[in-house]
Amino acid sequence: MKKFKKNKLALFGAAILLFMALAAAFAPALSPYDPNELGNTALEAPSAAHLLGTDDYGRDIFSRILFGARVSLTIGFVAVSISVLIGSLLGALAGYYGGAADSVIMRSVDVMLAFPSIFLILAVQAVLSPNIYNVMIVIGLTSWMGVARLVRGEFLSVKERPFVEALRCLGSSDIRIIFKHILPNSFAPVTVAATLGMAGAILTESALSFLGMGVQPPYASWGNMLQDSQAYLRLAPWMALVPGLFIFMTVLSIYFVGEGIRGASDPKEN
Amino acid sequence: MLEIRGLATYYYSDNETVKALDGASLSLGKGQMVGLSGASGCGKSTLGLSLMQLIEPPGKIVKGSIKLDGRQLLGLPKEEIRQLRGKSISMVFQDPFTTLNPVLTIGDQLSECLRHHFSMGRKEAKERAVEALAKVKINDPAKRYASYAHELSGGMRQRVMIAMAVLCGARYLIADEITSALDVISQRHIMLLLEELRTKEGLSVLLISHNRPLLARHCSRIYEMKDGKCLN
């Protein structure tokens, strides 16, 4: 914790994330307009009345960003948590036990990777009702493969280190060795993968929304705001810039925080 | 009393079988320090790992017996063998720079061991761990409890390893070249520590080393290993 506090960038990132989370939580109180309200002038440039301008239906972009943050932040966070959880667990088992477990797990990773996940998501969304909880879960369930590969690689190298043998000599069980001793040693690449996965999840949601399978209109998410802006890039560039900037800021903050956690968990780094 | 009779451990590869141990026998009485020496690759470490039953494929213990106080250890269920490690027999390795987990504090590793073996509370485990550090002559053990391995010197790390090895009550210690990575002074301190644990607490030590003078100084009996067998 002390080391984390020393990392200025990480603190900065954490502050921004906290700020965004609070803004999302208090969106109804903070937004000057109803985010789905029509009737203002469409495609109005940012002004005092509309801080970040209005979109093609005349909805206030600032309000939509606040409400969209709820969706996008939750999706990013939940989806990545699911994928990191599954990926770490399977990667750990594959890497530690090797042999048949490794083959089965890694072949299913290959299958999942070969399978175009966007269609899987679409299929699931078409069968179940398209709501954001399904979106989160499905994105999480289709994006754990990268993490699994990374964690497996780390396990393959760490499990050969002498301290693992020493632990066995002291009677530590496999589960202890895997979760208490080897997993913390493979924290760095997982953090990086999780950070990138978060951005990926937010963007996947936007692609789904574009296809009508994500967040349903008129409700806002950063992703569908970005998609809506495509037709108006020349006419109203702020429609694209604003959600883009928020996604960018979020991902960057997460990255800084991730890097901070990684540094703080590495005892050799000061 | 730890007794090995006719122990044979082979490593199999596609075109040959390496007989690392081939009928090795030795015995280690309570409170004794017994030496095991021999040229590199003669199977000293294989003997240690066989004793812990940590030989992994392609290696295999093919025959023989390992008796601890009359109880046959070979062929026990895996879980029981795991319980024995650390509680009855422990092993310490050569290189103290790599045998501690770099991302956990040494205190974490010590108390984790205790909590694992005895399902002890966090606080009690910490007290016991600090005591153990004091017992192996680590200065300011309460402070060192929160240190990471890289913050300690080689001799200190090796002492931490010894503390960990005897922490959960192991009465038999297999010390595999534990002083060869250390300078002469640290070496001496470690040997004094082992001597003390032996005389005060009745620890039995199987000292594996290629350093004959060292063995001659400390051991009551020395086995010489050759062709996978132990000669007295």
Side-chain angles (χ1 to χ4, degrees), chain B residues 36-215:
Chain B
L36 179 64
S37 88
S40 299
C42 69
K44 301 189 297 278
S45 297
T46 302
L47 181 79
L49 286 174
S50 301
L51 265 172
M52 304 301 296
Q53 298 193 44
L54 281 171
I55 298 289
E56 293 198 359
K60 195 170 177 245
I61 301 177
V62 288
K63 58 178 185 250
S65 88
I66 303 171
K67 279 188 178 164
L68 180 69
D69 299 329
R71 182 175 172 215
Q72 177 62 257
L73 300 189
L74 275 186
L76 281 180
K78 269 190 180 163
E79 187 54 29
E80 257 175 79
I81 295 171
R82 189 178 68 67
Q83 289 286 337
L84 284 171
R85 296 184 198 126
K87 266 184 174 170
S88 301
I89 313 179
S90 292
M91 184 163 176
V92 177
F93 293 92
Q94 174 172 0
D95 188 357
F97 293 89
T98 52
T99 43
L100 284 164
N101 189 339
V103 302
L104 297 178
T105 64
I106 57 166
D108 260 353
Q109 294 180 60
L110 285 163
S111 53
E112 199 244 331
C113 231
L114 282 169
R115 293 174 54 194
H116 188 31
H117 272 294
F118 304 111
S119 40
M120 201 180 268
R122 209 172 272 274
K123 207 171 146 217
E124 195 191 348
K126 181 173 178 179
E127 277 165 20
R128 286 275 299 274
V130 173
E131 268 170 37
L133 287 177
K135 197 157 78 182
V136 295
K137 310 269 182 330
I138 299 261
N139 294 326
D140 201 355
K143 194 178 143 213
R144 285 295 169 213
Y145 182 88
S147 299
Y148 289 97
H150 72 275
E151 295 165 346
L152 305 179
S153 72
M156 277 165 103
R157 284 184 224 190
Q158 202 58 292
R159 269 181 275 167
V160 171
M161 288 311 297
I162 294 173
M164 251 163 112
V166 297
L167 184 67
C168 295
R171 301 272 56 105
Y172 292 88
L173 180 69
I174 302 160
D176 188 0
E177 298 276 9
I178 59 168
T179 57
S180 4
L182 304 174
D183 61 76
V184 184
I185 310 241
S186 315
Q187 211 173 78
R188 207 177 141 58
H189 285 280
I190 293 283
M191 287 317 299
L192 286 176
L193 175 66
L194 283 183
E195 277 292 341
E196 192 184 316
L197 289 171
R198 183 179 73 82
T199 47
K200 272 195 191 161
E201 315 210 347
L203 184 73
S204 318
V205 184
L206 177 64
L207 195 61
I208 303 179
S209 174
H210 57 256
N211 184 345
R212 289 302 293 260
L214 180 94
L215 294 180

Side-chain angles (χ1 to χ4, degrees), chain A residues 71-87 121 132-145 147 193-205 208:
Chain A
V71 175
S72 295
L73 291 180
T74 328
I75 286 184
F77 191 75
V78 173
V80 164
S81 304
I82 294 175
S83 77
V84 166
L85 214 67
I86 300 178
I121 297 174
I132 73 160
Y133 302 104
N134 288 340
V135 174
M136 293 174 205
I137 295 170
V138 173
I139 293 177
L141 291 179
T142 50
S143 60
W144 52 269
M145 294 81 77
V147 178
T195 321
L196 298 176
M198 199 101 142
I202 291 176
L203 294 175
T204 304
E205 183 275 320
L208 283 177

